[in-house]
Amino acid sequence: MQGRIITFEGIDGAGKSTQAQILYNYLKNYFDNVILLREPGGTKLGDMVRDILLRENQIEPACSTETFDISITAEFLLFAAARAELVRQVVAPALQEGAVILLDRFIDSSIAYQGYGRGLAIDFIDKVNRAVINGIEPDLTLLFDIAPQAASSRLQRRADRIEAEGLIFLETVRQGYLKIAAAEPQRIRLIDAALEPQTVSSMMFEAVKPLLINFNRIATYV
Ligand code: TYD
């Protein structure tokens, strides 16, 4: 029995992590095997990469090559290493067990942030991503789209990060995401994340319904 993978993408402050948590809480009522993961993370190496690149609980700007003097290529390869471990240790086995896997960020984050955002060659990122995921593709990707200005007002407690990244950088990332979505309309569903959080949730539920309606479940999924 093969599981399902739903990925959550968008710029910082788009609200995707909140929405992923809402979907996770909801789906747990209907499916006995639902897992929520975030990138980088979910494995020992993933947590270490998160610490190196994102420095949680510290004032330094997240994911800033300036602060840590890490090349863009190295930054990408660290994200990719974390991804490789997550796929091998957690995602692949869970998929085999028939889990519904919610992934807060995945392959598209690298293309949008390191590719479109930082200018790393997209075909290189694509090749590494392919090797890393080893045929494990998302069944559905929810792209939470919002203007950086609107996103920054949601990120009050993390204003340092958004300031450090800069609104122009995030707009470039956002435009990158929109290009990825335009190229893969079958896989990627665009959700207007500027709407009221409840409306965004309803759109998310509608988007996942076709994927899960006939899937192995423990209660009637409505
Ligand atoms: P985010 O997903 O917003 O996590 P949190 O809610 O803990 O802040 O932060 C992850 C950051 O890492 C975000 O700025 C995007 C960045 N990132 C990349 O640049 N490339 C990647 O491949 C991944 C997975 C994340």
Side-chain angles (χ1 to χ4, degrees):
M1 179 185 44
Q2 179 83 351
R4 299 284 185 271
I5 300 179
I6 302 171
T7 63
F8 292 73
E9 296 283 359
I11 62 167
D12 301 72
K16 62 174 178 47
S17 304
T18 308
Q19 295 295 341
Q21 187 68 53
I22 290 170
L23 186 62
Y24 173 73
N25 293 342
Y26 182 75
L27 293 180
K28 271 197 312 190
N29 299 317
Y30 299 97
F31 302 91
D32 57 6
N33 194 354
V34 187
I35 55 176
L36 173 60
L37 302 163
R38 70 170 176 176
E39 268 206 12
T43 66
K44 185 132 179 65
L45 183 77
D47 290 340
M48 289 167 85
V49 166
R50 175 168 281 271
D51 192 47
I52 294 168
L53 291 178
L54 305 173
R55 289 283 183 121
E56 281 198 322
N57 308 320
Q58 297 194 27
I59 306 157
E60 284 115 318
C63 201
S64 163
T65 48
E66 281 156 23
T67 305
F68 297 99
D69 192 27
I70 292 172
S71 73
I72 299 165
T73 308
E75 179 187 90
F76 163 60
L77 291 172
L78 283 166
F79 279 123
R83 182 165 303 135
E85 286 305 283
L86 188 68
V87 168
R88 184 181 68 89
Q89 290 183 26
V90 188
V91 177
L95 201 60
Q96 283 229 315
E97 285 164 15
V100 178
I101 303 161
L102 308 182
L103 266 173
D104 185 349
R105 297 198 181 281
F106 199 46
I107 43 176
D108 301 311
S109 280
S110 293
I111 297 173
Y113 279 81
Q114 279 66 52
Y116 288 104
R118 297 217 194 276
L120 194 64
I122 287 169
D123 59 344
F124 169 64
I125 297 175
D126 233 18
K127 271 192 196 130
V128 175
N129 263 345
R130 275 180 200 289
V132 158
I133 63 174
N134 199 18
I136 291 179
E137 307 264 358
D139 294 289
L140 174 70
T141 294
L142 303 173
L143 173 54
F144 295 87
D145 179 57
I146 191 167
Q149 197 75 57
S152 76
S153 65
R154 293 213 178 135
L155 272 182
Q156 259 140 27
R157 71 183 169 82
R158 292 190 299 179
D160 283 345
R161 164 183 291 195
I162 204 110
E163 278 165 19
E165 297 281 10
L167 295 179
I168 293 170
F169 173 75
L170 288 181
E171 183 58 31
T172 314
V173 173
R174 179 194 186 197
Q175 293 306 323
Y177 268 128
L178 292 174
K179 280 183 198 150
I180 302 168
E184 286 189 75
Q186 297 287 68
R187 169 171 72 90
I188 303 175
R189 285 290 300 271
L190 195 64
I191 292 180
D192 183 352
L195 299 170
E196 286 295 308
Q198 275 192 334
T199 313
V200 174
S201 298
S202 309
M203 292 168 79
M204 171 176 71
F205 290 135
E206 280 308 307
V208 301
K209 222 179 203 170
L211 183 70
L212 298 179
I213 201 108
N214 292 317
F215 190 63
N216 174 46
R217 56 188 185 253
I218 52 173
T220 306
Y221 174 61
V222 285

